[in-house]
């Protein structure tokens, strides 16, 4: 069972339609601003559910999911994108929030 992590600039409906033709599904969080976001592309046979994240920051983009499937125990995955120009204060806030969640 393979998974792929992706950062994308295309609307999710284009990607979703294309990957479903090949036996995959998509869960994503679009960027609040223009373009981008984070996504998880996974085989259609897996059970993937979004998990409400407790990490609060406006400087990072993130997606947390739980995954189960044949031969796979419940697994939680966090996908985090940190833009290149994030200051020390924002990084410290993110790590503190993650540690305390």
């Amino acid at each position: 069972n393979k998974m792929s992590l992706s950062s994308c600039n295309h609307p999710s409906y284009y990607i979703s339609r294309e990957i479903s033709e090949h036996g995959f599904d998509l869960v994503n969080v679009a960027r609040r601003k223009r373009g981008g976001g984070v996504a998880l592309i996974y085989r259609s046979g897996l059970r993937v559910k979004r998990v409400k994240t407790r990490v609060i920051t406006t400087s990072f983009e993130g997606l947390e999911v739980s995954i189960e499937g044949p031969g796979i125990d419940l697994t939680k995955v966090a996908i985090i994108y940190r833009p290149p120009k994030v200051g020390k204060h924002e990084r410290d806030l993110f790590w503190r929030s993650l540690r305390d969640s």
Side-chain angles (χ1 to χ4, degrees):
N1 294 317
K2 295 181 180 180
M3 290 182 289
S4 173
L5 304 178
S6 173
S7 175
C8 54
N9 288 320
H10 301 289
S12 64
Y13 54 87
Y14 291 127
I15 296 169
S16 184
R17 186 178 66 211
E18 181 179 339
I19 66 172
S20 67
E21 295 171 1
H22 299 282
F24 292 89
D25 285 315
L26 168 82
V27 61
N28 74 311
V29 174
R31 183 173 292 156
R32 292 179 189 159
K33 297 178 185 177
R34 188 178 135 262
V38 293
L40 172 71
I41 298 170
Y42 61 93
R43 288 198 184 278
S44 297
L46 299 174
R47 289 183 302 278
V48 175
K49 294 181 185 177
R50 282 183 70 170
V51 175
K52 185 175 179 178
T53 183
R54 290 176 254 163
V55 177
I56 299 172
T57 178
T58 57
S59 301
F60 294 77
E61 298 173 27
L63 169 64
E64 188 175 348
V65 297
S66 65
I67 302 170
E68 289 183 284
I72 300 174
D73 293 332
L74 177 64
T75 304
K76 289 194 178 180
V77 175
I79 301 163
I80 300 165
Y81 172 72
R82 180 190 70 134
K85 296 184 179 182
V86 173
K88 182 177 180 347
H89 174 73
E90 289 86 3
R91 287 192 311 268
D92 290 346
L93 177 63
F94 168 77
W95 288 113
R96 218 176 11 257
S97 179
L98 185 63
R99 183 188 64 231
D100 297 341
S101 67

